[in-house]
Structures are given as structure tokens and as C-alpha cells.
Amino acid sequence: TRHWWQLGVLVGYGVVIGSRTAAKAEAATAALAAGIGPGRLHGADNLAAARQGDIVFITVPWASQAAILEEIKPALAGKLVVDTTVPLVPPKVARVQLPKEHSAALAAQVRLGPQVRVVSAFHNVAAQKLAGGERRNVAHEVTSWLAPIEANDADDAARAQKRLRLFQRIDP
């Protein structure tokens, strides 16, 4: 999650990071926000964070996806959800284990219902690359997924592509 908010802030978005408790999220964002200026990064409990976003990113492990989606579902009607979840199940984390819906995003769509628009993205960006601060390479990899974005609705895919193309502006 930390690296996704960094990319969002770098391109000028205000970012709200959710956590199980507002205090935990606020403590994390206070430590992370040093050096980026006031007002660009905030913490809130998961539901409050989802209420504040017009696009909501789900950046949780597969084991947590269902519970988080149930928690924030009341705030998601009419919003676009970008699901980055990859269904990895320990101890076999080197191999994707598809759910009965055939993808984590389809499982999210079933759980959230038709009033929420779900797209699947960012599965091609390695966590270690994000953690390494290789911004130019990350920007290239992040935008390389824009053509194969997965969505049930072409308008949702186009909306996600338009908003997320801003990542191409990232400079090292």
C-alpha cells in the first residue's frame, strides 16, 4: 500500500490510506507524509477512507480481500474499485490459486454487486521494485498495464485508464 500512495501523491492526487482503525492509519500516514507537504496524505479507518475516494484501490493480501470488501461495501456504490489482489495462498505463494470466480477481481465484483464497478490492474508491478524506489522503471511498468486492463465494462476501463495515465508523468 505504501508504494501505491507514493505514486498517487507524486502525480498530484490527495490520498487517503485506510486501516482497521483510524488511529493506526493516522500514525502510519504521519510517518509516511514527512517531506511531501500538508494535505496530500491522510489516514482513516477503512470505511471512512472508502467514503472519501472516488476511485478506491484494494491493495490487500488475498486472505484479507473478502473481509475488507464487506467492511467497505456500504461506501462503494457508484464508485470505481481498482483491485490489485492476486490470489496467492500460503504456502504456495509462487503460484496463483484461482478462486471459483476465476480471478480476485471477479470475486470482488460478485461480493460487491452490480452497483460497484470493479477493474483489475497492477498485477505486473513487483513489490520489490516499488520498494526499491526505482520510480522511472515503476512508472513504465505501471503504465504498461493500461492496454490490458481487465474490466467488465469498457467505460470503466476507459475511466481507469484516463485517471491512471497520470502515472506516466512520474520523473526520477
Side-chain angles (χ1 to χ4, degrees):
T1 300
R2 181 180 85 215
H3 307 297
W4 292 117
W5 77 257
Q6 288 174 323
L7 292 173
V9 168
L10 282 169
V11 298
Y13 287 128
V15 175
V16 181
I17 293 177
S19 188
R20 287 182 295 275
T21 68
K24 184 177 174 185
E26 289 164 0
T29 57
L32 297 170
I36 65 167
R40 308 263 317 270
L41 181 64
H42 303 281
D45 66 76
N46 288 326
L47 183 58
R51 283 188 176 123
Q52 293 179 55
D54 60 328
I55 296 180
V56 177
F57 285 79
I58 306 299
T59 61
V60 298
W62 171 243
S64 301
Q65 186 206 45
I68 295 294
L69 293 177
E70 286 299 325
E71 179 183 355
I72 67 174
K73 183 176 179 176
L76 298 178
K79 295 187 180 187
L80 182 64
V81 171
V82 179
D83 185 22
T84 69
T85 308
V86 177
L88 300 176
V89 180
K92 297 179 180 181
V93 296
R95 181 179 175 158
V96 171
Q97 298 180 47
L98 294 177
K100 66 180 179 172
E101 297 86 357
H102 304 291
S103 79
L106 288 174
Q109 186 68 76
V110 168
R111 183 169 301 283
L112 296 173
Q115 71 281 6
V116 179
R117 299 174 328 271
V118 177
V119 299
S120 177
F122 295 122
H123 301 123
N124 63 325
V125 183
Q128 68 268 20
K129 188 157 283 200
L130 286 169
E134 302 172 45
R135 285 195 255 162
R136 181 174 297 281
N137 292 335
V138 170
H140 172 74
E141 287 192 36
V142 166
T143 57
S144 71
W145 73 268
L146 289 171
I149 190 170
E150 299 292 332
N152 288 337
D153 184 283
D155 290 339
D156 291 342
R159 181 175 177 219
Q161 287 173 336
K162 180 179 179 183
R163 290 291 294 274
L164 299 172
R165 263 194 212 288
L166 293 173
F167 287 125
Q168 291 174 319
R169 297 188 330 198
I170 298 171
D171 293 320

